[in-house]
Amino acid sequence: MAKYIIVCGGVISGTGKGVASASIAFLLKLRGHKVNYIKFEPYLSSDAGVLSPIEHGECFLCDDGKETDLDLGTVERIAGINMSSQNICTSGTLYKELIVGQERGENLGKTLQIMPHVTDRIQERLLNLGKTSEIVVCEIGGTVGDMESAVFYEAVRQFKQKNQNDVMVVMVAPILWVPTIKEFKTKPLQNAVKQLLQYGINPEMLLCRVDREIPAKLFDKVSDMTGVERSAVFEAKDVDSVYQVPIEFYNRHIDDYCVDMLRLKRSSCRIHKYKELLEKPINDEVTIGICGKYANHDEAYLSLKEALIHSAIFHGVKLNIKWIKAQTMDAKNVKEELKEIDGLIVPGGFDKSGVDGKIQCIRYARENKIPFLGICLGLQCAVIEFAKNVCAIKDANSQEFEKDTKNPVVHYLAGQKDIAVKSASMRLGSYSCELVKGTLCHNLYSASPSRWDNKNTISERHRHRLEVNPEYLEIFTKNGLNLSGFNPETKLVEIMEISQNKHPFFVGTQAHPEFKSSLSDAAPLFKGFVAASVDRRKKITKKK
Ligand code: GLN
């Protein structure tokens, strides 16, 4: 039987359950255990791909094409565990599976009910993951007491009752600082534990989130009032970077406590290499402009931001991000808006909104030799810009923005044009890409051993309906926008670049390399892009 660590949250949402779960999973992995993770989400939607990034944060994409919550990205990045559809389960998925299953003949004759059918399904998911791992970290979305999450708590109660020695529950909740009276308040946390007790679950561990120094005696009080052992009440203070959290947890022996609680063998935690990564000296700084539709919403581009952080740490530079709202950009303000950036990213996206602004920014970056990385829609916009302003195809466009455009330099993938089902119907997941020898991208990937198979092919994740129209490749190449990678089976255009003797870094990729980036293995294209941006900054500062 595997061991289970159930992580839930109290008082408010956004207390960092995801980062706490990922950090615990990572530390246990570093102790040599085979760890997996699952998130139970109380919401009804079954597919994060159709949810708005403004409301829900970015849609994180897995290797198997599952479009999911950003928390799974956090787990991949921090714990280094590859996520897939088995690692997320929403209420909607459970209901859908049960209802569709019955329509097909499962549970015939039975009246489907939340108990036992949904609660059993939840426990089955836990058991299934446990078949291939020693420890499963399970995060329950939302906050204890939410009406919609009750079924998950009931399932956990039953699961814990059946497997008492193998399940521990961790609650992450804040101790609040009330500025008007300058006092800490533990009462909301105490009440959250009480709510958990009402479900018949007593937590074995509390991770108390605090945003400032807090007197130790308050943890004694929390222990007294909640019945959680004093040695299991841990301070979990805000830190500058999520990557610092595993180190904080390690220093506080949170992993030791989990191991003892679950009666696992004590082994040493090989965290030193990781620590060294974070302690790399910072010698310089760089400012990257990100021009997207949701420029005011950090979480809408979370993986992108993290991929930049990984590369900045790799190069020992401090990263500044300038968010540029695409809808506000035009030919007049572009120079002023981009004057302080050392590199420009146009990220992935959907629909026409802000596209003209993105194209203006790309043009400025191309003409002024500002390093540019276009991701998915970013590549497609770069192709439109290049067609219009370099190849003189004035009416070039994407079929996504102008259905009957005369010059569809970006067009629908075969079978995608008239697709009616919006959920999980794009070209999704990891696909391989053959790199063209001698290109900048070939060099960048081949310098990253973990990504390189010596056969010139790499693999990245995709999420798109349109592609660069291969009919225009000849004219692009003639004018200096070259093919640097293509799909070996379908020949689909994967990466394009302007050669380095004409532009220091101008690359567009149909894939989303940000999804596979991590602290210990930063994405090669991001590494190259950040290096080029730092170079540009150095040259400009020298001139001044
Ligand atoms: N909307 C474009 C497409 O579907 C780009 C998608 C993306 O950026 N992920 O092809």
Side-chain angles (χ1 to χ4, degrees):
M1 170 93 186
K3 304 286 184 183
Y4 292 84
I5 300 175
I6 315 285
V7 180
C8 60
V11 183
I12 47 168
S13 61
T15 51
K17 296 186 298 288
V19 175
S21 305
S23 302
I24 291 173
F26 183 46
L27 291 176
L28 296 171
K29 205 178 129 187
L30 289 178
R31 298 173 79 117
H33 297 290
K34 191 155 192 276
V35 187
N36 212 335
Y37 162 94
I38 185 164
K39 176 148 194 205
F40 286 119
E41 271 292 2
Y43 64 74
L44 283 180
S45 304
S46 62
D47 172 12
V50 291
L51 307 182
S52 157
I54 300 184
E55 213 178 276
H56 199 74
E58 84 170 359
C59 163
F60 182 77
L61 188 75
C62 305
D63 273 330
D64 68 349
K66 177 73 184 166
E67 297 167 285
T68 180
D69 281 17
L70 51 78
D71 284 310
L72 272 76
T74 304
V75 175
E76 266 206 21
R77 283 187 287 270
I78 295 181
I81 306 170
N82 241 29
M83 296 287 106
S84 71
S85 42
Q86 63 167 349
N87 302 102
I88 179 118
C89 176
T90 70
S91 292
T93 321
L94 291 166
Y95 294 149
K96 198 167 155 184
E97 279 173 10
L98 280 166
I99 294 168
V100 172
Q102 188 170 53
E103 285 165 359
R104 290 203 188 113
E106 284 167 29
N107 285 313
L108 266 191
K110 295 264 181 277
T111 307
L112 287 183
Q113 288 183 304
I114 290 186
M115 272 188 285
H117 300 105
V118 181
T119 44
D120 282 356
R121 272 286 160 120
I122 295 168
Q123 293 175 76
E124 263 166 43
R125 295 283 299 243
L126 286 171
L127 287 171
N128 281 343
L129 265 194
K131 283 180 193 155
T132 49
S133 38
E134 271 176 88
I135 302 172
V136 177
V137 176
C138 160
E139 180 187 346
I140 302 183
T143 310
V144 63
D146 291 349
M147 195 196 270
E148 55 181 14
S149 57
V151 62
F152 293 105
Y153 289 103
E154 173 55 18
V156 166
R157 185 195 65 75
Q158 293 181 15
F159 193 67
K160 201 175 171 204
Q161 188 179 333
K162 285 179 230 159
N163 309 289
Q164 281 187 17
N165 293 336
D166 303 313
V167 182
M168 68 179 282
V169 174
V170 178
M171 176 176 257
V172 186
I175 294 178
L176 300 176
W177 168 256
V178 184
T180 44
I181 49 170
K182 297 194 174 45
E183 263 181 47
F184 288 103
K185 289 290 173 197
T186 62
K187 188 66 67 63
L189 184 149
Q190 292 173 37
N191 288 338
V193 175
K194 275 189 194 134
Q195 269 171 323
L196 201 54
L197 290 169
Q198 276 169 16
Y199 288 120
I201 302 171
N202 53 330
E204 273 78 20
M205 184 191 279
L206 288 180
L207 299 178
C208 307
R209 302 280 292 106
V210 282
D211 66 351
R212 62 197 71 215
E213 282 307 317
I214 178 167
K217 66 173 194 305
L218 279 177
F219 298 113
D220 300 341
K221 181 175 171 188
V222 166
S223 169
D224 287 343
M225 304 303 274
T226 59
V228 177
E229 236 181 79
R230 175 61 189 91
S231 57
V233 178
F234 291 97
E235 174 180 354
K237 204 168 150 216
D238 284 358
V239 279
D240 293 338
S241 144
V242 292
Y243 302 109
Q244 208 65 46
V245 177
I247 296 177
E248 288 287 318
F249 280 18
Y250 172 79
N251 290 341
R252 296 185 187 280
H253 303 283
I254 289 175
D255 53 328
D256 285 337
Y257 196 90
C258 293
V259 165
D260 291 349
M261 190 75 221
L262 294 170
R263 298 167 180 79
L264 287 161
K265 262 218 302 257
R266 276 232 180 176
S267 49
S268 61
C269 185
R270 294 182 299 269
I271 199 170
H272 297 98
K273 255 199 184 149
Y274 180 79
K275 268 189 174 168
E276 275 168 25
L277 264 180
L278 284 174
E279 282 158 9
K280 256 186 138 177
I282 306 278
N283 302 313
D284 216 323
E285 65 181 301
V286 70
T287 301
I288 303 298
I290 299 181
C291 176
K293 191 163 105 179
Y294 309 120
N296 302 326
H297 299 272
D298 239 31
E299 295 216 320
Y301 301 111
L302 186 64
S303 294
L304 180 72
K305 195 177 93 183
E306 296 301 318
L308 281 170
I309 292 174
H310 303 150
S311 285
I313 291 178
F314 178 84
H315 291 298
V317 293
K318 176 176 175 278
L319 172 73
N320 311 309
I321 292 182
K322 178 177 164 68
W323 297 102
I324 303 160
K325 196 167 171 82
Q327 296 89 319
T328 64
M329 296 304 297
D330 55 38
K332 282 186 236 117
N333 62 8
V334 67
K335 186 173 176 193
E336 180 61 23
E337 278 295 307
L338 303 196
K339 76 171 188 243
E340 272 154 25
I341 66 164
D342 307 308
L344 172 74
I345 288 193
V346 174
F350 295 84
D351 87 52
K352 209 174 165 177
S353 151
V355 160
D356 292 342
K358 292 175 194 177
I359 291 177
Q360 287 297 346
C361 290
I362 296 171
R363 178 177 195 171
Y364 188 82
R366 183 178 53 75
E367 293 178 345
N368 292 280
K369 302 206 180 339
I370 299 173
F372 165 75
L373 179 60
I375 294 172
C376 203
L377 183 67
L379 160 72
Q380 298 174 359
C381 288
V383 162
I384 300 170
E385 189 281 316
F386 195 85
K388 279 181 189 286
N389 303 321
V390 181
C391 308
I393 313 173
K394 291 289 166 218
D395 55 0
N397 213 339
S398 162
Q399 288 179 337
E400 182 175 11
F401 315 134
E402 193 186 338
K403 217 168 172 211
D404 303 313
T405 171
K406 287 220 185 64
N407 275 299
V409 290
V410 176
H411 70 173
Y412 278 100
L413 288 160
Q416 285 282 351
K417 196 168 187 174
D418 300 310
I419 234 163
V421 178
K422 293 285 179 235
S423 166
S425 60
M426 284 185 247
R427 180 177 181 247
L428 293 170
S430 278
Y431 285 95
S432 50
C433 161
E434 188 170 326
L435 295 171
V436 179
K437 275 194 192 149
T439 58
L440 164 64
C441 296
H442 186 276
N443 294 342
L444 289 173
Y445 275 99
S446 53
S448 291
S450 63
R451 310 299 188 107
W452 197 240
D453 65 353
N454 285 325
K455 292 187 202 100
N456 303 318
T457 58
I458 49 120
S459 164
E460 295 284 9
R461 296 179 191 168
H462 295 71
R463 183 171 182 246
H464 62 122
R465 289 190 202 285
L466 295 104
E467 62 167 337
V468 175
N469 188 343
E471 282 175 24
Y472 291 85
L473 269 187
E474 208 182 309
I475 183 161
F476 289 149
T477 316
K478 233 192 236 161
N479 285 282
L481 181 62
N482 303 319
L483 181 71
S484 28
F486 56 92
N487 179 278
E489 282 99 46
T490 59
K491 305 290 176 251
L492 177 145
V493 174
E494 286 285 358
I495 318 180
M496 298 196 80
E497 65 183 56
I498 292 179
S499 75
Q500 274 192 297
N501 52 26
K502 294 208 184 102
H503 194 289
F505 192 104
F506 191 98
V507 173
T509 165
Q510 191 56 73
H512 288 268
E514 69 273 26
F515 290 135
K516 280 195 186 178
S517 186
S518 66
L519 202 54
S520 57
D521 190 16
L525 292 187
F526 278 77
K527 278 196 280 189
F529 166 73
V530 170
S533 307
V534 175
D535 265 4
R536 177 184 156 88
R537 184 183 187 95
K538 278 186 185 151
K539 276 184 201 141
I540 288 178
T541 351
K542 232 187 205 171
K543 265 194 205 158
K544 279 183 190 162

